[in-house]
Amino acid sequence: MTETTTGTFHGPYEISADPARIDAARVHHWISTDTYWGVGRPREKQDRAIAGSLNFGAYHRDTGEIAAYARVVTDGATFAWLCDVYVDRPARGAGLGTALVDAALDHLEETYGLRRMLLSTADAHGVYEKVGFRPLENPDKWMALGHQ
């Protein structure tokens, strides 16, 4: 997907949807070693996930180094799934994760007209509630295939 900078800034960070800026090796390291959902994920699989998704990064303005990452799986018309949201440990606690997710939501609404997105989280409900996510009203209508 070809995307450009979202024009969003949060403190010393610039949030961008430019896939050329993603540090795939660093993102893989974060996801495969420091998350409950992706521990052990092979690099090749992470690279395929990045290639098939809309990717957002938060970058230090002075160094250009990636400090946070999120990806969105979407058809660009009716559905979006937010996943692999990660903030580097030294950058945590300053609202960068919330700013990154908020920028992704804004981008999806402005670019595609999408106003609904799903996600799954075991421990970051408060982060997502800040930008408007709520538990499903009728979770009994949803089904899943695969490991749960």
Side-chain angles (χ1 to χ4, degrees), residues 64-135:
E65 233 178 71
I66 192 168
Y69 173 78
R71 69 184 181 92
V72 175
V73 180
T74 183
D75 61 6
T78 63
F79 180 79
W81 177 268
L82 176 67
C83 51
D84 286 350
V85 178
Y86 186 90
V87 178
D88 196 14
R89 290 187 179 273
R92 292 181 186 175
L96 184 57
T98 301
L100 180 65
V101 171
D102 199 34
L105 292 172
D106 287 349
H107 181 85
L108 288 167
E109 184 174 352
E110 291 169 11
T111 305
Y112 304 110
L114 291 176
R115 297 170 48 92
R116 289 195 180 96
M117 185 183 309
L118 294 176
L119 66 84
S120 176
T121 184
D123 61 357
H125 295 78
V127 170
Y128 300 110
E129 287 171 348
K130 289 177 187 175
V131 296
F133 280 93
R134 300 289 175 259

Side-chain angles (χ1 to χ4, degrees), residues 18-42:
D18 181 352
R21 294 184 71 181
I22 298 296
D23 181 343
R26 190 158 190 194
V27 169
H28 172 256
H29 176 75
W30 287 338
I31 302 299
S32 68
T33 66
D34 196 32
T35 66
Y36 64 84
W37 68 87
V39 168
R41 183 181 293 172

Side-chain angles (χ1 to χ4, degrees), residues 40-53:
R41 183 181 293 172
R43 171 70 191 267
E44 190 269 342
K45 184 174 274 194
Q46 183 64 45
D47 287 348
R48 282 195 335 253
I50 289 170
S53 301

